[in-house]
Each structure stands twice: as structure tokens, then as C-alpha cells.
Amino acid sequence: MPELPEVETVARGLARVWEGRRFASVVTRRAGLRLPFPPHFAQRLTGRTIERVGRRAKYLVVRLDGGLVLLGHLGMSGRMVISGLKNTPPGPHDHVEFVTDDGVVVTLTDPRRFGLMILCDAAEVEAHPLLAGIGPEPLEAGFDAQVLAGALAGKATPIKSALLDQKVVAGLGNIYVCESLFRARISPLRPARDVTRDEIGLLVGCVKDVLTEAIAAGGSSLRDHVRPDGELGYFQHGFKVYGREGEPCPDCAGAPACGGIRRIAQAGRSTFYCAERQR
Ligand SMILES: [Zn+2]
């Protein structure tokens, strides 16, 4: 599932090919994804110039001339694929095709169809029901120890689950929460309210570092972004704990001090951590 760095990478990749261009045609191949496409979706986009492509939490925010905004979410499995040629037949999961005036084709491919594409007015973006109530952007200055401490105060839920709450902080998902807690040496099992102010300060820095490094890794994957299979948003970068159950812990000396990376379930999601290093 794409998290903040993946969506940021998609936004930056789309910005390169879309900003300043005009949608020459938009084709939808089904009635919708998680939600139906808005009425006249394709017609309302066609002919518009793309002014800016950005991101809020895990949403793509595409600003068009005339004050129209395309809000997109990639759901569980959505991908935006850039290609230079229009004439390849669409695959079964290619649901929307965007063609700009220079002939570049961007296809939204989403096998599980949990993604969404909606339209709204520029003045309504922040207050839109999908975005209203979402917490601070973790890479912005407004996300600091004081803000996070305020959001965690009194919460009995484990810190792992609290950080997944989009009202606490925007855009974090399972992968980057596990990685951030590992770096900050905080057990994912600790009640959020028991994490000390000093630890929260450390955690904020770790969240920012983990995300910044992942975005940098995604950015390096963008170099070849225009090619027949130019897929955006998924890239190789090293996770220290995520998906590494049973592997040696990268920061401990190993057995018997540390039994390696453990996987437990919290609120139905896998948590990966080191029980020795994270207390
Ligand atoms: Zn360890």
C-alpha cells in the first residue's frame, strides 16, 4: 500500500510530465473505483491546463486552470504508469487514461480498485470531507515534539496504532511507523500516553529522517520516468525491520542478546520490531 513517500514520488513524477500541459483526452474504462467517478469526469478535465501537482497526506492533489482540483488516492494497489505511446491496448486493470497535449499517456492501473478519483473546487480542498481532520504533514515545520505530544496525550492505545491514526499525523502507514519506532528505540507496545517528551522529540526526528530518505530513494527511481513501462510510486529501498521477521537485527549484536526481528499483530496489522532495542 502506498504511503507518504510513494505518493510523494508519484506526485513529483506526474509534476514533471503534467505541469504546464493540457489534458487532450481523458478516458475512463469503468464507472468508478472505490467510489464512482464524478459526473462528466472526463469532459470536465479535457482541455484543462495542469497548473500544479502536489500531495496532501496520501492524496494526490492536481490543480487545474479554472479552479478545478483532481483529488486522487491510489488505494491498496493503484499505480500511475507513464508511457509515450497511446496505441497499446489497455490491460484489464487500466481504469483511467490521461493523455496530455504532447502525447504522453498516464494510465491509472488498480487491480483491487480501492483507489479513487474525484473533482472539487480549489477553495474546498482543505475542507473536503476526505481531507478535513487529517493531522499535520510530518515533513513540515508544524509537526514537532509539542504538536505530537499534544496529539498523544491521554491516549491508552499503543504508540504503533496511534501513529497510524491520520488525525495524529498525515500519511504514515505500517511500513514507516515500524521503521520510525525502531530508529527511536521505542517499543510499539507502549501506551502512547507513556512515551516521554524526550522520546517524542526523538521520534519526530526519526519520522522525518525515515520519510526524507525514502523520498530521496523514490526520487532517484524517477530518472528514467518516461519509458514504456514507466511506473511510478514503488521503489527499492532498505527497510531495517519491516518485512524482516526472523532476520538478524541490524543494530544489535545478535543472539543471545537480541533474538532478531519479531513480528506481532497489532489492531490486525503486522508490527516488526526488536524487543531488545525497543523498550
Ligand atoms: Zn535487536
Side-chain angles (χ1 to χ4, degrees):
M1 183 174 184
E3 297 186 25
L4 185 153
E6 290 78 21
V7 181
E8 180 68 26
T9 301
V10 172
R12 291 182 186 188
L14 289 177
R16 290 190 189 192
V17 294
W18 274 3
E19 285 182 356
R21 289 287 169 190
R22 190 171 48 78
F23 283 133
S25 79
V26 176
V27 176
T28 54
R29 298 215 163 81
R30 53 182 306 113
L33 300 169
R34 171 152 57 94
L35 297 173
F37 295 124
H40 313 297
F41 178 74
Q43 294 95 311
R44 291 179 69 190
L45 291 173
T46 302
R48 301 256 186 183
T49 298
I50 302 127
E51 293 177 343
R52 207 163 69 78
V53 182
R55 176 194 58 76
R56 170 71 172 121
K58 299 177 196 173
Y59 290 88
L60 293 168
V61 182
V62 182
R63 296 178 186 275
L64 302 142
D65 66 339
L68 188 68
V69 173
L70 168 63
L71 277 182
H73 194 286
L74 298 173
M76 302 290 285
S77 58
R79 289 160 157 75
M80 299 293 267
V81 182
I82 299 172
S83 62
L85 298 169
K86 188 174 161 46
N87 53 15
T88 48
H93 306 301
D94 294 346
H95 306 310
V96 187
E97 179 187 85
F98 302 91
V99 186
T100 36
D101 56 347
D102 54 351
V104 171
V105 180
V106 174
T107 304
L108 170 64
T109 300
D110 187 358
R112 297 179 66 181
R113 304 201 302 268
F114 284 108
L116 69 83
M117 289 271 161
I118 61 164
L119 299 173
C120 66
D121 289 335
E124 297 171 351
V125 173
E126 285 295 318
H128 192 279
L130 291 172
L131 297 180
I134 290 183
E137 284 291 323
L139 291 175
E140 291 182 3
F143 180 67
D144 60 17
Q146 186 179 344
V147 165
L148 183 57
L152 298 178
K155 276 195 160 57
T157 52
I159 182 69
K160 157 76 190 305
S161 305
L163 291 174
L164 288 177
D165 180 351
Q166 299 297 296
K167 293 191 285 294
V168 170
V169 55
L172 287 188
N174 213 27
I175 294 174
Y176 297 101
V177 167
C178 290
E179 294 293 312
S180 299
L181 288 171
F182 177 76
R183 281 205 202 190
R185 305 188 67 157
I186 297 169
S187 168
L189 298 163
R190 292 256 301 277
R193 64 187 177 200
D194 292 350
V195 179
T196 68
R197 183 59 180 263
D198 283 353
E199 288 173 322
I200 289 172
L202 182 61
L203 178 59
V204 164
C206 291
V207 167
K208 290 177 189 279
D209 288 349
V210 162
L211 295 175
T212 301
E213 289 167 24
I215 290 170
S220 65
S221 77
L222 286 181
R223 269 185 229 116
D224 302 322
H225 67 283
V226 180
R227 48 182 183 158
D229 61 344
E231 180 178 306
L232 293 172
Y234 294 84
F235 40 89
Q236 301 288 323
H237 50 87
F239 300 128
K240 287 197 165 185
V241 289
Y242 187 82
R244 294 188 177 276
E245 181 185 12
E247 291 184 25
C249 174
D251 289 345
C252 291
C258 164
I261 304 302
R262 293 188 191 181
R263 180 170 68 88
I264 57 172
Q266 287 183 287
R269 313 282 303 275
S270 288
T271 298
F272 298 88
Y273 77 114
C274 167
E276 181 68 24
R277 177 183 161 88
Q278 293 173 253
R279 299 298 184 102

